[in-house]
Amino acid sequence: MTVAPSPAAAPSFNRAEWASAFQNVERELSQVPLSAARGAIPPELLGTLYRNGPGRLERGGQWLHHPFDGDGLICALRFGAGAASFSNRFVRTEGWLAEEAAGRVLYRGVFGSQKPGGPLANAFDLRLKNVANTQVVQLGDQLLALWEASSPHALDPNSLETRGLSLLDGVLKTGEAFSAHPRFDPGHHGAPRMVNFGVKTGPRSSIRLMEFATVDDPERGIQAGQLLSERRDSFAGFAFLHDFAITPNWAVFLQNAIAFNPLPYLLGQRGAAQCLKSKPDGQAQFWLVPRASGSYAGQEPRLIPAPAGFVFHHLNAYEEGDELVLESIHYADFPSIGPEDDFRAVDFEQLPVGQLKRSRIKLSNTGVQSNNSVQSNNSVQSNNSAQTELLSERCCEFAMVNPAKQGLKARYGWMAVAARPQGNDPLQAIKKLDLQSGEEMIWSAAPHGFVSEPVFVPRPGAAAEDDGWVLCLVWNGSRAASDLVILNGHDLSEQALLELPLAIPHGLHGSWVAGSAQ
Ligand code: CO
């Protein structure tokens, strides 16, 4: 249903229903036919929605400290000719296989999950468990299950079977970081590309920026999945970069002002991500890295002071006149995860609110700045080269534009939001935001429904930017299982609701692959 934003101040959710999504997935299903419980599946919807997220949250009676430490579970919803089917399968990571065999937790997690036995059992165990749980995308003839701190896992796009760790035909070294947030350039320089990065962090951090072909080009001898270009740049300071954005000329990073104190991690008291803390006297920065085919190719990165706070995700970026515009979801502070906190009992009121903001960075003011000259945050010139404005007060996450507008000025964004216009609550609604006028449209699953990342799918042959559908997995607290809702991208009217034969925990990211499944 589409409703006008309501001024109601009271939260509209039941905590037990929200928390009931945190459970283990015990079954793997293959091509189970789905029918619409309400409405009808649009016959033109042709392709597969892939989705990743933690599917195992407890083992041997021990709950993980945070769902982000859970093993990656891939779901595939295939659509065609008005019908749909559902498949799901765990990524067979080294850690998943070992823990399945042992029946207990064998690894520490980055977000604070510990092996049994307290700090002594965990101290100096610095193995990373690659949980492959953050995003899933198609590149060439394989799916990649992504987790930012290590290499991707390659999967069969049809069966979802794990082929193994992938070094992308030798592009990556074993264990090399590869972000879970690739950006798909729709064709800024001819053929479409996948642009991604890996971060090696420390007192100085380096970013490896990589661009891959996503379609075969026999005339140029290029195959989908092939590396087309790369560059490496190093920056002063500890980098925590989960996401980035692209424009035709730039890869854009927002380096949060954050410090990493490794001692509690080394001593087995905290997970690595629990050792991150905002630096109150620190200076966040935009890092602009020139793309290989753009007008500034080969030049040094530009570093520009950024607003305080914390950003995980960006909506989009584009160039306008002499400005680079970046739209991001900002938090007032890093949402820390204390060692004593139970994630199922989180007090939403105590957490910072994610809000969409737009930063305008004046390229003409920045000039080329050698990154060697930036030895500390203090040496960054505080000038008027970036201005940031709030686009909407409502708590939001998981935002996207039409994929054809990736890196270009988009009129519309779709995102997961809270049902209330103010305050911090679980994500229960989908919002379409007119990025020009600020006009909002809301589809709400409250009070019993909890949404995940909405994925906008353009209608084949569509001319209008919002002509398509929004697909979203919804945790249905009433029946303690997951639904898939299909909304009209233009007015958010509900087209169909499919009741899935599975309970899927609150998840992370997903992607759409157009075309018929084989
Ligand atoms: Co993310």
Side-chain angles (χ1 to χ4, degrees):
M1 115 182 115
T2 306
V3 295
S6 147
S12 60
F13 72 99
N14 173 309
R15 176 185 301 282
E17 284 187 345
W18 172 78
S20 67
F22 293 116
Q23 51 179 285
N24 287 341
V25 174
E26 305 282 3
R27 291 181 299 155
E28 294 186 316
L29 304 172
S30 184
Q31 310 271 17
V32 175
L34 301 174
S35 55
R38 295 204 299 256
I41 299 167
E44 297 162 276
L45 187 60
L46 181 65
T48 304
L49 175 69
Y50 292 107
R51 191 176 166 281
N52 200 349
R56 179 102 210 180
L57 300 164
E58 172 275 338
R59 207 179 271 285
Q62 183 190 346
W63 280 83
L64 298 181
H65 185 72
H66 196 283
F68 291 175
D69 286 334
D71 295 294
L73 175 80
I74 309 297
C75 297
L77 288 120
R78 296 177 203 286
F79 297 89
S85 73
F86 177 82
S87 306
N88 72 298
R89 199 168 165 86
F90 279 97
V91 184
R92 267 54 173 174
T93 64
E94 187 186 340
W96 185 90
L97 289 167
E99 291 186 341
E100 280 290 296
R104 61 191 169 90
V105 173
L106 299 175
Y107 289 81
R108 302 175 70 185
V110 168
F111 289 89
S113 302
Q114 299 279 55
K115 295 187 290 183
L120 272 182
N122 288 274
F124 305 109
D125 180 354
L126 307 184
R127 293 176 303 164
L128 282 177
K129 182 185 179 193
N130 180 343
V131 285
N133 70 1
T134 314
Q135 170 62 302
V136 55
V137 297
Q138 178 146 13
L139 182 65
D141 66 352
Q142 54 196 11
L143 284 183
L144 299 176
L146 301 173
W147 184 69
E148 67 191 22
S150 193
S151 318
H153 283 77
L155 315 175
D156 184 295
N158 295 310
S159 68
L160 305 181
E161 279 170 25
T162 304
R163 291 175 178 162
L165 276 170
S166 171
L167 302 181
L168 306 178
D169 287 330
V171 170
L172 303 176
K173 289 194 188 120
T174 303
E176 183 175 338
F178 192 70
S179 154
H181 276 282
R183 292 277 172 176
F184 287 86
D185 167 345
H188 302 150
H189 305 286
R193 294 178 184 182
M194 183 179 99
V195 187
N196 202 13
F197 68 98
V199 183
K200 196 172 164 193
T201 200
R204 280 191 79 81
S205 301
S206 68
I207 296 178
R208 184 181 183 198
L209 185 68
M210 294 160 269
E211 306 212 5
F212 298 87
T214 57
V215 291
D216 292 332
D217 182 351
E219 278 181 25
R220 295 171 60 208
I222 291 170
Q223 286 188 318
Q226 190 175 326
L227 183 71
L228 298 173
S229 70
E230 66 167 315
R231 63 176 286 164
R232 292 172 203 263
D233 296 282
S234 80
F235 301 85
F238 176 87
F240 179 84
L241 300 168
H242 175 68
D243 191 7
F244 78 135
I246 56 166
T247 69
N249 289 309
W250 302 97
V252 191
F253 298 86
L254 203 171
Q255 156 68 348
N256 298 293
I258 199 152
F260 178 65
N261 170 13
L263 204 58
Y265 169 58
L266 297 173
L267 296 178
Q269 297 158 346
R270 285 171 174 245
Q274 293 174 304
C275 299
L276 297 170
K277 219 172 74 180
S278 283
K279 278 200 295 195
D281 56 344
Q283 173 68 66
Q285 290 179 348
F286 298 109
W287 290 350
L288 274 49
V289 179
R291 288 184 58 192
S293 305
S295 308
Y296 311 96
Q299 292 188 9
E300 292 290 322
R302 300 186 186 188
L303 282 63
I304 298 111
F310 196 85
V311 168
F312 286 108
H313 293 129
H314 305 289
L315 166 64
N316 195 23
Y318 56 94
E319 296 163 39
E320 192 170 50
D322 75 335
E323 290 180 333
L324 188 147
V325 185
L326 178 66
E327 293 160 342
S328 316
I329 298 164
H330 289 251
Y331 295 83
D333 198 357
F334 178 65
S336 63
I337 322 133
E340 310 303 330
D341 301 339
D342 178 347
F343 68 84
R344 291 165 294 174
V346 62
D347 182 354
F348 285 90
E349 298 283 355
Q350 299 302 312
L351 292 178
V353 182
Q355 291 178 318
L356 190 65
K357 296 185 181 181
R358 178 183 290 145
S359 294
R360 293 184 171 276
I361 303 164
K362 281 220 176 346
L363 290 166
S364 53
N365 278 6
T366 61
V368 177
Q369 192 166 15
S370 162
N371 58 46
N372 288 330
S373 69
V374 180
Q375 293 302 327
S376 76
N377 289 317
N378 298 335
S379 67
V380 175
Q381 295 298 306
S382 183
N383 54 30
N384 293 323
S385 52
Q387 304 241 322
T388 300
E389 60 170 327
L390 181 67
L391 292 183
S392 172
E393 202 176 337
R394 187 184 293 256
C395 157
C396 73
E397 253 302 342
F398 299 133
M400 78 175 288
V401 297
N402 183 318
K405 294 290 184 182
Q406 182 81 247
L408 307 172
K409 187 174 185 178
R411 176 76 189 264
Y412 303 108
W414 292 266
M415 60 206 76
V417 295
R420 275 195 301 172
Q422 280 111 18
N424 194 44
D425 289 327
L427 304 169
Q428 292 195 279
I430 303 297
K431 179 166 94 172
K432 178 192 180 194
L433 176 63
D434 184 328
L435 294 161
Q436 202 172 302
S437 71
E439 188 191 343
E440 301 187 341
M441 240 174 239
I442 303 277
W443 174 89
S444 177
H448 302 293
F450 300 87
V451 303
S452 59
E453 178 183 64
V455 175
F456 177 81
V457 177
R459 186 191 305 276
E465 190 182 319
D466 58 351
D467 186 5
W469 306 276
V470 175
L471 307 187
C472 184
L473 272 188
V474 179
W475 175 255
N476 183 333
S478 301
R479 67 180 195 95
S482 302
D483 297 336
L484 187 281
V485 66
I486 304 172
L487 308 177
N488 181 318
H490 174 66
D491 60 9
L492 297 189
S493 59
E494 185 184 295
Q495 305 296 289
L497 183 133
L498 316 182
E499 293 185 345
L500 306 187
L502 203 67
I504 305 163
H506 300 301
L508 294 167
H509 300 290
S511 62
W512 172 257
V513 177
S516 60
Q518 287 147 27

